[in-house]
Amino acid sequence: MTASATSEAPPVPDQTGPAPLSFGQHRMWLLSQTNAAATNLVMAVRLRGPLNLPALRQTLTDVVARHHVLRTAITLSGHDEPVQLVRPAQRLVVRTVDLTALPAADRAGATTALLAQEVARPIDAARPPMLRATAIATAAREHVVVIALHHAASDGWSLNVLAREISQLYAAFGRGEPAPLRGVPATQYRDYAIDQRHRHRTPSGQTAADEVPD
C-alpha cells in the first residue's frame, strides 16, 4: 500500500451551520436519551487472508469523510431543540483484538461475546464519528471486522451502500491504488433532513403534527 493512500483524511468540503434533524433522526435521538444501546446498528464481515490494517483504516476514514452524517454531532440548540452539525473529517481509529492465543475451541464463543459487547456499547451521537470499528483476529489468516453505527446516521438501506463502498475502497487501497470515490458526489443526509422539514411546514412555520411520517 502506498504511503500517499494513508497519509491523511481526504479533503471533503464541510457543510457549516446547524440543521434540523429528519423525523427518523429525531425518533432515534429521543430513544437514545433513555436507551442508548437500542440505537446501535452492528454488522460483521469475515475476512479470509491477511488483514491489511492500514488499508482498512484508510477505507473507513474515507467513508466517514465522504458521508457527512457519519461525522455529524447531534446537540441541543439554544431553544433546546436537537440539531445536527457536521464536524471536520478526521482519521478513524480501528480497535484490534487478538484471539489467536485462545484455544481454537474457545474463539467462536469469544467472538460472539465481543459482538454482544459492540451491540450493547452505546455510540454518543453528540461526539462523532457515528461509526466505530473493531478488527478481531480469530486465526492467523482470518479476521472478523465489526462495524457499529448509530441508527440516527444509518439504516438497513444505507448499510448496503456502506458495505459496497467499504469493499470497493478496501480492495483499491490494498492494491496501492488511489481512492476511487474521492471526487464522486455523495447524497448528504443533512440535505434530505432540511428538505423533509421544509415540506412539512405549515404556513406559520411549524411542523404539522398530523403530517409527520411514522
Side-chain angles (χ1 to χ4, degrees):
M1 187 170 185
T2 61
S4 60
T6 60
S7 57
E8 59 182 1
V12 177
D14 284 322
Q15 296 172 300
T16 58
L21 305 185
S22 72
F23 299 123
Q25 283 179 311
H26 194 267
R27 286 194 296 273
M28 289 301 107
W29 178 81
L30 286 174
L31 178 59
S32 70
Q33 304 308 295
T34 56
N35 187 358
T39 61
N40 281 7
L41 289 175
V42 177
M43 64 177 176
V45 179
R46 188 175 297 277
L47 300 179
R48 300 189 186 278
L51 175 68
N52 189 329
L53 190 56
L56 180 61
R57 289 194 188 104
Q58 191 60 48
T59 291
L60 297 175
T61 294
D62 268 49
V63 165
V64 172
R66 174 175 167 77
H67 296 282
H68 298 182
V69 70
L70 296 176
R71 52 187 175 92
T72 290
I74 298 179
T75 61
L76 289 177
S77 70
H79 302 288
D80 289 333
E81 285 294 321
V83 295
Q84 53 182 315
L85 288 164
V86 178
R87 300 304 192 194
Q90 297 182 355
R91 290 192 55 76
L92 196 83
V93 175
V94 178
R95 175 190 175 209
T96 57
V97 179
D98 189 350
L99 300 180
T100 58
L102 295 177
D106 296 339
R107 295 175 195 170
T111 301
T112 299
L114 286 169
L115 284 171
Q117 290 175 15
E118 284 302 295
V119 170
R121 187 158 65 101
I123 295 174
D124 187 352
R127 300 177 62 188
M130 295 273 209
L131 176 154
R132 66 169 179 259
T134 303
I136 306 170
T138 56
R141 295 175 59 85
E142 187 171 297
H143 294 75
V144 175
V145 177
V146 183
I147 297 176
L149 303 105
H150 197 291
H151 209 331
S154 186
D155 56 19
W157 179 85
S158 59
L159 276 180
N160 292 328
V161 174
L162 290 176
R164 288 196 301 269
E165 292 192 0
I166 288 170
S167 177
Q168 183 180 359
L169 288 167
Y170 181 71
F173 288 138
R175 294 189 296 264
E177 298 173 358
L181 296 178
R182 291 185 191 177
V184 178
T187 301
Q188 301 302 338
Y189 192 85
R190 179 181 187 273
D191 298 333
Y192 165 77
I194 293 172
D195 179 67
Q196 184 189 58
R197 290 286 181 171
H198 177 75
R199 287 186 284 108
H200 288 85
R201 290 289 182 188
T202 65
S204 65
Q206 300 298 313
T207 301
D210 59 350
E211 294 185 73
V212 176
D214 293 331

